Amino acid sequence: ISPKGLLMTQVMIDISALQWLAQQGATFALPYGRTKSKFDKDWQNTPHPLPQALIHVKRLGNVGILTGKHSGNIIALDRDVDFGATVEMLGDAGKTTKIIRDNAPERGKFLYRVNGELPPTTSWKPQGHKHPLAELLSTGRHALTEPSMFEMGHYLLQDSDLGILEVTPEQLDRIW
């Protein structure tokens, strides 16, 4: 209890996922607070190293991987439906690090490192759908990661023991 009688608590935040991602070459995007789309101007060209990301997290801010050229060619394939079935369908190509959110089991992101020219960011939105069902997040985009939160769900890094699968642009075309 503080001198003014207020109960003080210390929040313990697991930063091991961010440390691991930084070891893989990731730099970070720092959205305002617990948002995923509000940033400083020119955020797409402002990679933040791990120490800055850790300060942001201590202030309870979300953190995303700044995908593409700023993170050693790490891209994310964001799947917003049938994530579990997509993992199975991809077979060996699905054996890579993933980002999931604990309150959205049918959504997730596959992380890949592109060995070659990076593709542009693109999305797949079937006619009649309000939002894309899948997106390839490349340079100029980000993918929220652990320990971020959104819509009351926690982002989790999954299967990091598999590493980030390295693919050529041609292999990525077959996956995507």
Side-chain angles (χ1 to χ4, degrees), residues 5 20 34 51 56 62 87 94 99 124 154 165:
W20 185 85
R34 290 294 186 193
H56 192 69
N62 281 343
V87 171
I99 301 170
W124 174 58
H154 296 83
L165 187 62

Side-chain angles (χ1 to χ4, degrees), residues 16-121:
S16 60
L18 291 177
Q19 292 170 322
W20 185 85
L21 287 164
Q23 290 169 351
Q24 309 312 303
T27 61
F28 302 98
L30 308 178
Y32 297 139
R34 290 294 186 193
T35 68
K36 67 178 190 175
S37 60
K38 295 179 181 167
F39 291 91
D40 286 334
K41 186 176 180 177
D42 200 36
W43 67 269
Q44 301 95 330
N45 296 304
T46 310
H48 295 277
L50 180 62
Q52 290 177 356
L54 294 177
I55 290 168
H56 192 69
V57 165
K58 272 186 155 179
R59 295 177 179 154
L60 301 181
N62 281 343
V63 176
I65 301 167
L66 188 56
T67 52
K69 69 179 182 180
H70 295 296
S71 288
N73 284 9
I74 297 171
I75 57 105
L77 291 185
D78 185 1
R79 183 78 167 130
D80 284 347
V81 294
D82 302 324
F83 188 71
T86 304
V87 171
E88 288 183 34
M89 178 198 67
L90 288 175
D92 286 344
K95 294 178 181 173
T96 188
T97 302
K98 300 163 195 67
I99 301 170
I100 61 166
R101 196 172 75 216
D102 63 3
N103 67 344
E106 287 305 310
R107 295 176 169 207
K109 294 174 181 68
F110 299 90
L111 299 182
Y112 296 100
R113 183 181 311 277
V114 178
N115 183 0
E117 187 175 341
L118 283 166
T121 292

Side-chain angles (χ1 to χ4, degrees), residues 7-18:
L7 181 62
M8 303 296 288
T9 61
Q10 187 168 7
V11 177
M12 296 299 292
I13 299 171
D14 185 354
I15 59 168
S16 60
L18 291 177

